[in-house]
């Protein structure tokens, strides 16, 4: 599976983003760093054209803008129409009624390939009460493998839940990734960037769980390696991108902490 890092650089897939304004530049740059090509759009008029030529699509609801709510649904439906893999990042799904309603609408009307969120967001989608928690993950370190597996079955797609241990499941298998560092939570948008990485891998395999695993591991492992010398957060962010850019098979083989 680690060989997919070479394939993404070889294929240079085009990843179309309908994402939030806060992290859009970082998502574009992380997509470039892993070896794919980013494309960003907020246009209703070009949905059909852009989705039809894209290799994968990301829908991220992080910045709730009333003007774009229908755009997300339209883009998701176009991805299904053109048989393009599509990732949903339901940022803060439990934070407001509007976010919950939009996420439900998307999940009801679009067939997603991967749904990626922090553990709180995935638990909420699975029907567990996490009211009062912030947009950032509230993770007590307990094993949520069965929850993530059940949500994947419920949504009939691959689900990623980031946390102290990252969990990736297709409803049957569950990968546990123990790489990472707490410093990743000090940078806005590492979750959003993870969704971009997952989408970058999706065109490289016919098994979405492999793409979800590789995208998630790439972020967690690169974060861990970036924090080896405990740099200040600004330097850490630079090191994070540097490590994403230089990932290769030997690095995964040497440092990945994975349990199936």
């Amino acid at each position: 599976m680690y060989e997919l890092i070479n394939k993404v650089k070889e294929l240079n897939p085009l990843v179309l983003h309908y994402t939030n304004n806060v992290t859009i530049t970082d998502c574009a740059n992380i997509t470039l760093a892993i070896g794919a090509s980013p494309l960003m759009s907020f246009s209703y008029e070009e949905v059909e054209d852009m989705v039809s030529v894209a290799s994968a699509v990301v829908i991220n609801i992080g910045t709730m803008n009333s003007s774009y709510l229908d755009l997300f649904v339209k883009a998701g439906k176009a991805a299904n129409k053109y048989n393009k893999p599509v990732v949903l990042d339901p940022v803060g799904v439990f934070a407001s009624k509007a976010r919950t309603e939009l996420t439900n609408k998307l999940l009801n009307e679009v067939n997603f390939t991967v749904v990626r969120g922090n553990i709180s967001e995935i638990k909420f989608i699975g029907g567990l009460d996490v009211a009062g928690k912030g947009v950032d993950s509230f993770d007590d370190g307990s094993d949520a493998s069965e929850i993530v597996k059940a949500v994947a079955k419920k949504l009939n797609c691959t689900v990623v839940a980031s946390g102290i241990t990252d969990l990736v499941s297709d409803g049957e298998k569950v990968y546990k990734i123990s790489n990472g560092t707490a410093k990743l939570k000090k940078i806005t948008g590492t979750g959003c960037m993870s969704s971009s990485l997952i989408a970058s891998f999706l065109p490289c395999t016919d098994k979405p769980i492999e793409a979800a695993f590789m995208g998630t591991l790439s972020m967690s492992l690169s974060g861990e390696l970036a924090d080896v010398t405990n740099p200040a957060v600004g330097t850490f962010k630079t090191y994070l991108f540097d490590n994403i850019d230089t990932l290769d098979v030997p690095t995964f083989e040497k440092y990945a902490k994975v349990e199936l």
Side-chain angles (χ1 to χ4, degrees):
M1 201 183 316
Y2 296 150
E3 293 289 341
L4 290 176
I5 190 64
N6 296 326
K7 193 167 183 179
V8 70
K9 297 177 187 299
E10 176 188 341
L11 292 180
N12 185 226
L14 181 63
V15 181
L16 175 60
H17 292 72
Y18 294 91
T19 190
N20 73 75
N21 293 322
V22 175
T23 64
I24 191 168
T25 301
D26 286 335
C27 288
N29 285 330
I30 209 80
T31 302
L32 288 168
I34 201 68
S37 293
L39 180 62
M40 275 57 185
S41 179
F42 293 110
S43 169
Y44 282 86
E45 292 79 7
E46 66 178 14
V47 168
E48 292 281 327
D49 289 341
M50 292 296 97
V51 173
S52 67
V53 299
S55 305
V57 179
V58 176
I59 296 175
N60 178 309
I61 70 168
T63 307
M64 281 286 286
N65 185 321
S66 299
S67 301
Y68 300 143
L69 303 189
D70 290 337
L71 175 62
F72 293 152
V73 178
K74 184 175 182 179
K77 288 182 175 180
N80 289 167
K81 174 182 175 181
Y82 291 106
N83 198 29
K84 307 291 184 174
V86 56
V87 179
L88 174 64
D89 195 330
V91 180
V93 58
F94 48 77
S96 69
K97 182 180 179 181
R99 287 176 187 265
T100 302
E101 289 177 347
L102 174 59
T103 300
N104 286 338
K105 183 177 179 65
L106 285 163
L107 291 172
N108 286 329
E109 298 187 21
V110 178
N111 295 319
F112 286 96
T113 314
V114 178
V115 174
R116 193 224 69 83
N118 63 45
I119 190 62
S120 297
E121 291 158 351
I122 298 305
K123 284 181 177 179
F124 184 83
I125 289 174
L128 299 180
D129 182 16
V130 293
K133 305 298 187 292
V135 171
D136 290 334
S137 174
F138 182 83
D139 186 4
D140 60 7
S142 60
D143 189 351
S145 297
E146 291 305 313
I147 293 172
V148 175
K149 187 176 179 180
V151 176
K153 285 183 178 179
K154 174 183 177 181
L155 300 182
N156 193 30
C157 70
T158 296
V159 169
V160 177
S162 61
I164 295 173
T165 299
D166 298 321
L167 303 170
V168 182
S169 180
D170 59 0
E172 298 296 331
K173 295 183 290 188
V174 180
Y175 287 103
K176 301 179 183 180
I177 300 169
S178 299
N179 294 99
T181 169
K183 202 166 284 181
L184 284 168
K185 294 181 71 174
K186 292 189 175 183
I187 298 176
T188 298
T190 52
C192 301
M193 288 185 271
S194 294
S195 294
S196 296
L197 292 173
I198 290 168
S200 297
F201 281 103
L202 276 170
C204 303
T205 174
D206 59 1
K207 298 177 181 178
I209 191 172
E210 294 185 348
F213 169 79
M214 285 296 294
T216 304
L217 177 60
S218 295
M219 175 58 71
S220 296
L221 176 54
S222 295
E224 182 176 302
L225 295 175
D227 199 28
V228 167
T229 59
N230 192 29
V233 68
T235 304
F236 170 77
K237 183 177 180 181
T238 299
Y239 288 171
L240 173 66
F241 277 85
D242 287 349
N243 277 281
I244 289 286
D245 180 60
T246 57
L247 281 173
D248 56 19
V249 174
T251 300
F252 284 117
E253 291 177 339
K254 184 175 181 179
Y255 296 109
K257 303 170 186 174
V258 179
E259 177 186 347
L260 176 59

